[in-house]
Amino acid sequence: AQKVTQAQTEISVVEKEDVTLDCVYETRDTTYYLFWYKQPPSGELVFLIRRNSFDEQNEISGRYSWNFQKSTSSFNFTITASQVVDSAVYFCALSKLGTYKYIFGTGTRLKVLA
Amino acid sequence: ETGVTQTPRHLVMGMTNKKSLKCEQHLGHNAMYWYKQSAKKPLELMFVYSLEERVENNSVPSRFSPECPNSSHLFLHLHTLQPEDSALYLCASSQVKGDRNSPLHFGNGTRLTVT
């Protein structure tokens, strides 16, 4: 069975702090995709990153970075120097290649305080 | 045109009403989805259409009826809903080809309140 666990329900940080959002997944598939989405108060889920299970390189995009570790089945997301605009609910998701099923975690609500 | 457009943004309906949610995607994707997002619950997949054929139906009550007339449009017809159906309904699209999945692209959602 596939499962995505985001154990942190809510995190509050002060602006400019670094914050890491955890994502742990379970799958028996050898090939799969992992995703992160951001859902601001407006409601739309915004795609942030897709990672193929073959590619364990970490990725950095501006203040965002992702740490994919297959050995621990984790795909953590770090925001450096957080800003108030980063306040949102962040979802991690898993998908088997070539299927229509995207398994979402329950999300982590991030509050960045000015 | 934005990628995935949903209308209306907000909808209030009584339990005896009939209404429809509309979704349109401008991304050339071959799959479209309806998700339900309730407070303090994970995203629930309701329906998936691939090339206008329903490929997934996750035990959704018959008071929700999807329709996919073409690969760009998806509807969710609602009738005799219950208050517990109040939620954010999200439409998404993706491109699934062989063993490659594009990310899901979501619309802004319709906030539905059933009174």
Side-chain angles (χ1 to χ4, degrees):
Chain A
Q2 294 182 317
K3 187 179 177 182
V4 175
T5 301
Q6 294 180 257
Q8 303 150 310
T9 306
E10 186 168 314
I11 301 174
S12 291
V13 298
V14 177
E15 209 170 16
K16 296 184 185 176
E17 283 186 7
D18 298 347
V19 58
T20 295
L21 310 181
D22 298 331
C23 173
V24 174
Y25 63 93
E26 295 175 30
T27 181
R28 292 179 183 168
D29 300 314
T30 54
T31 54
Y32 49 87
Y33 284 116
L34 294 163
F35 306 84
W36 274 97
Y37 286 85
K38 173 183 179 180
Q39 187 177 37
S42 59
E44 177 185 358
L45 272 84
V46 177
F47 164 70
L48 296 177
I49 189 171
R50 177 183 67 180
R51 174 63 68 209
N52 186 311
S53 55
F54 286 116
D55 183 2
E56 288 194 68
Q57 278 193 335
N58 291 328
E59 181 155 341
I60 298 174
S61 176
R63 296 184 297 107
Y64 295 170
S65 63
W66 291 269
N67 183 356
F68 175 32
Q69 293 202 343
K70 222 168 172 177
S71 59
T72 55
S73 296
S74 66
F75 187 43
N76 296 338
F77 172 30
T78 297
I79 302 175
T80 303
S82 59
Q83 299 176 2
V84 173
V85 294
D86 295 326
S87 297
V89 181
Y90 291 85
F91 291 92
C92 181
L94 166 71
S95 178
K96 180 180 177 180
L97 268 61
T99 72
Y100 304 100
K101 285 206 169 182
Y102 295 74
I103 310 300
F104 284 83
T106 50
T108 297
R109 181 177 298 278
L110 174 65
K111 292 185 178 179
V112 182
L113 308 170
Chain B
E1 294 274 11
T2 55
V4 180
T5 305
Q6 286 186 248
T7 55
R9 290 297 309 275
H10 300 273
L11 178 61
V12 179
M13 60 186 288
M15 290 190 286
T16 58
N17 291 159
K18 286 185 181 180
K19 296 285 183 183
S20 296
L21 310 185
K22 179 183 175 182
C23 177
E24 185 174 358
Q25 61 103 354
H26 308 278
L27 299 166
H29 287 165
N30 61 5
M32 295 187 76
Y33 307 70
W34 280 116
Y35 279 88
K36 176 183 178 183
Q37 187 178 32
S38 306
K40 299 183 181 178
K41 280 188 174 181
L43 277 163
E44 299 173 54
L45 177 63
M46 300 176 73
F47 302 104
V48 183
Y49 276 81
S50 172
L51 299 173
E52 299 127 56
E53 278 193 39
R54 193 186 311 179
V55 295
E56 193 82 28
N57 178 349
N58 274 4
S59 303
V60 179
S62 59
R63 56 186 185 269
F64 294 92
S65 174
E67 179 190 359
C68 187
N70 55 61
S71 59
S72 299
H73 293 86
L74 185 65
F75 295 90
L76 188 62
H77 304 299
L78 316 170
H79 63 98
T80 59
L81 294 191
Q82 305 297 311
E84 60 264 29
D85 296 322
S86 299
L88 181 67
Y89 289 84
L90 290 159
C91 175
S93 70
S94 76
Q95 182 72 13
V96 181
K97 188 176 181 181
D99 61 355
R100 293 185 62 81
N101 302 23
S102 78
L104 288 171
H105 290 260
F106 286 87
N108 284 326
T110 295
R111 174 73 60 189
L112 173 67
T113 304
V114 182
T115 60

